[in-house]
Amino acid sequence: MQNLHFLKLKTALYAEDDEITRTQITKILKMLFNQVYVASDGEEALRLYEEKHPDIIITDIKMPRCDGLSLITKIRKYNYHIPVILMSSYAEQDMLLNAVNLSIDAYLFKPIQFEKFTLALSQAFKRLPKEEVLLTLDQNIHYNTSTKELYRDGKTVILGAKEYDLLNLLIARCNKTVTYDEIIQTIWPFDPISDSTLKNTILRLRKKIDSDIIISVRGSGYRIDTVKK
């Protein structure tokens, strides 16, 4: 099974004209993504793309008003990096060749198999110029090592400057205890501070994270030892 936690920070645009298929796939996408925009034809999908700026496009090929290949052709004129997954009930050689020319990330045949679908989603995001690495700190808490951002339930946690520096220090030294002196010298290198300043910063950080991932090591310091990919 792919590690798909990072999808909870992403948005998806899904276009499908068949109501039954659209309902089924939409349910799956809503479990995986933070937000899903759904269209029943290519024209509606193009409008949603321009309004919402999704992170990935998943579209059927055969649709009224504007088919999937025409939709992607229009989008590719302005955005060559957005991941795209095409779906179809059958294979046509010409369509497959056109899909290659449009730099499609995956071509899936209906009925969609869940394992193949999640694998395609995971692979599709590797086209992005800078691949993100998402660390799981707790069940609903994640840390993006590329952007240095913290997320809880898919939403960014806003931290103060010292809280931010402290969290980054603990994550950089994950599974190891960071001593009081190390923390003070790193976070407050030029400012004389009291013990209460450090404790209050820890308390504020714990409150914002709303989790027990920061562990106190009595008489020594603090650590985060639940970080895993």
Side-chain angles (χ1 to χ4, degrees):
M1 177 67 68
Q2 300 294 308
N3 184 348
L4 300 174
H5 287 299
F6 72 97
L7 293 182
K8 274 297 181 183
L9 309 177
K10 305 292 184 181
T11 60
L13 170 59
Y14 173 48
E16 168 64 62
D17 64 316
D18 182 78
E19 184 176 358
I20 295 177
T21 302
R22 188 169 64 245
T23 300
Q24 293 174 341
I25 299 297
T26 298
K27 287 181 180 178
I28 295 174
L29 292 173
K30 285 184 175 180
M31 290 189 295
L32 297 173
F33 287 87
N34 182 45
Q35 183 71 48
V36 181
Y37 310 110
V38 183
S40 58
D41 61 63
E43 285 190 7
E44 183 182 10
L46 184 59
R47 177 180 60 79
L48 285 171
Y49 167 78
E50 293 173 344
E51 290 179 0
K52 305 299 184 181
H53 307 290
D55 296 307
I56 189 171
I57 299 171
I58 304 153
T59 179
D60 186 27
I61 288 183
K62 290 288 189 179
M63 293 187 296
R65 299 207 289 174
C66 176
D67 62 61
L69 290 180
S70 297
L71 168 67
I72 301 308
T73 298
K74 293 178 181 179
I75 291 174
R76 280 286 183 249
K77 291 180 180 179
Y78 308 100
N79 188 335
Y80 195 76
H81 293 294
I82 187 169
V84 175
I85 294 177
L86 286 180
M87 295 182 175
S88 179
S89 298
Y90 51 87
E92 286 189 6
Q93 192 66 27
D94 290 343
M95 286 187 174
L96 289 173
L97 289 174
N98 288 333
V100 170
N101 293 333
L102 290 172
S103 189
I104 301 302
D105 296 277
Y107 192 108
L108 302 176
F109 298 112
K110 304 174 188 177
I112 303 301
Q113 297 180 21
F114 183 77
E115 289 292 334
K116 289 184 177 180
F117 187 33
T118 55
L119 177 60
L121 289 171
S122 179
Q123 293 296 320
F125 277 100
K126 292 184 178 181
R127 78 151 45 241
L128 297 178
K130 186 176 183 180
E131 185 177 359
E132 297 174 347
V133 177
L134 204 65
L135 299 179
T136 300
L137 305 182
D138 205 350
Q139 183 176 3
N140 299 315
I141 301 173
H142 305 91
Y143 178 81
N144 190 316
T145 60
S146 296
T147 63
K148 305 298 182 183
E149 292 178 314
L150 182 71
Y151 303 95
R152 185 179 66 240
D153 298 321
K155 298 180 180 180
T156 304
V157 178
I158 305 300
L159 301 176
K162 297 303 182 183
E163 298 159 5
Y164 174 86
D165 291 341
L166 177 55
L167 177 65
N168 278 282
L169 174 61
L170 292 175
I171 289 177
R173 299 282 301 279
C174 66
N175 302 315
K176 296 180 180 179
T177 299
V178 185
T179 67
Y180 302 129
D181 287 342
E182 287 178 291
I183 294 174
I184 292 171
Q185 290 172 12
T186 302
I187 309 302
W188 295 275
F190 306 110
D191 304 319
I193 65 166
S194 62
D195 291 342
S196 61
T197 300
L198 174 55
K199 290 180 180 178
N200 287 335
T201 304
I202 288 286
L203 287 173
R204 292 196 305 271
L205 182 57
R206 282 173 168 166
K207 184 176 181 180
K208 290 183 178 181
I209 295 175
D210 193 22
S211 172
D212 297 327
I213 60 173
I214 299 177
I215 300 171
S216 299
V217 181
R218 188 173 182 179
S220 181
Y222 300 93
R223 76 171 189 267
I224 292 179
D225 63 0
T226 57
V227 179
K228 57 181 180 298
K229 289 187 178 181

